[in-house]
Amino acid sequence: MSETDFILQTRELRRDFGGFRAIDGVSLDIRRGQIHAIIGPNGAGKTTTFNMLTKFLAPTAGSITLDGIDITSAGPAQVASLGMVRSFQISSTFGRLTALQNVRIALLRAANETHQFWRSSDHMNKHNDRAMQLLGQVGLETWAHHPAALLPYGRKRALELATTLALDPKILLLDEPTAGMGQEDIQTISRLVKSLAGRKTIVIVEHNLKVISELADRISVMVRGRVVCEGDYATVSANPDVKAAYLGSAHV
């Protein structure tokens, strides 16, 4: 397998906070078109790793490469322009705007038209069909004209995913995308994420092991800032170190 088969790679990533080493030598190889999960117990360093990948945190040491470009010293805006977009554990939407308007803003950004908010409503409305299509993909057609602040939590997470997809990224980093959702919403989001495999590369942090077992092509298990095991679900769930540190014999 050549280096070009990997869209995102890290080598010996380290992050220190004062005298505490939160991330200690994490190396990842994310293959194009696959769903790669990062799992581990609370405090394992998953979100810190995400923050370094998307440049919300600078690594203390190590390197990050996106599609062959060294982004170790890049900022969040630069990596976003290169096609890497993330979601957050806490849903971030414009509460006073409708679901449709939230997605339309993301479409304006993707079309490099964010400077045209002052234009007529007809100009803005040209994105409505695509916005509705994206809302439909995440099961929000009937919520299109509701203010985002009034959406149930699970629906807000679905809206955030729709706005992420509106940016048409090469690679999506999803941080706990099903957190706080009911079973029906989880199934909707899981189906959507699965449908993107092959067309998009997805890196996902997720505590719901059933979701991971159904979605992930490859899994990296983190414990105390290190990757202790990597492989498909059958491989990692059978690993005794993983059982002891995270999954537990009752889960595998």
Side-chain angles (χ1 to χ4, degrees), residues 129-240:
D129 288 346
R130 176 59 178 154
M132 286 299 298
Q133 182 183 37
L134 288 164
L135 289 172
Q137 287 183 358
V138 298
L140 290 179
E141 306 101 314
T142 59
W143 297 86
H145 300 292
H146 288 69
L150 300 183
L151 268 58
Y153 179 74
R155 304 292 181 177
K156 287 181 182 176
R157 298 308 303 266
L159 174 58
E160 185 180 42
L161 185 53
T163 59
T164 301
L165 291 174
L167 297 172
D168 194 25
K170 294 179 184 178
I171 178 169
L172 291 81
L173 281 75
L174 305 179
D175 197 358
E176 299 282 359
T178 67
M181 290 186 176
Q183 189 58 39
E184 182 178 349
D185 290 333
I186 290 174
Q187 291 175 353
T188 297
I189 297 303
S190 295
R191 283 194 299 268
L192 173 59
V193 171
K194 191 69 172 179
S195 74
L196 297 172
R199 295 186 289 119
K200 303 289 185 185
T201 304
I202 299 171
V203 183
I204 181 172
V205 164
E206 177 59 62
H207 276 101
N208 188 321
L209 296 182
K210 184 174 187 299
V211 169
I212 291 300
S213 68
E214 294 172 352
L215 290 182
D217 299 299
R218 194 164 184 83
I219 302 168
S220 298
V221 184
M222 292 188 67
V223 177
R224 299 186 185 91
R226 292 177 173 268
V227 175
V228 298
C229 181
E230 192 168 275
D232 59 17
Y233 186 78
T235 299
V236 301
S237 63
N239 184 286

Side-chain angles (χ1 to χ4, degrees), residues 35-133:
I35 300 174
H36 191 121
I38 301 175
I39 68 172
N42 289 335
K46 305 181 298 296
T47 296
T48 300
T49 299
F50 252 41
N51 286 337
M52 286 193 291
L53 292 177
T54 51
K55 310 324 304 292
F56 286 85
L57 276 177
T60 304
S63 65
I64 307 171
T65 303
L66 173 62
D67 215 5
I69 299 172
D70 189 328
I71 62 168
T72 309
S73 300
Q78 185 177 351
V79 298
S81 70
L82 291 172
M84 182 160 63
V85 177
R86 72 167 290 178
S87 69
F88 293 84
Q89 288 183 5
I90 300 173
S91 181
S92 53
T93 56
F94 295 103
R96 294 185 179 182
L97 301 183
T98 66
L100 177 66
Q101 290 169 330
N102 269 272
V103 178
R104 194 167 63 183
I105 286 173
L107 289 169
L108 286 170
R109 173 65 182 86
N112 198 27
E113 296 178 353
T114 50
H115 61 288
Q116 298 188 28
F117 279 107
W118 57 270
R119 297 284 298 271
S120 69
S121 59
D122 287 342
H123 177 80
M124 301 285 286
N125 288 340
K126 74 178 185 179
H127 295 289
N128 284 354
D129 288 346
R130 176 59 178 154
M132 286 299 298
Q133 182 183 37

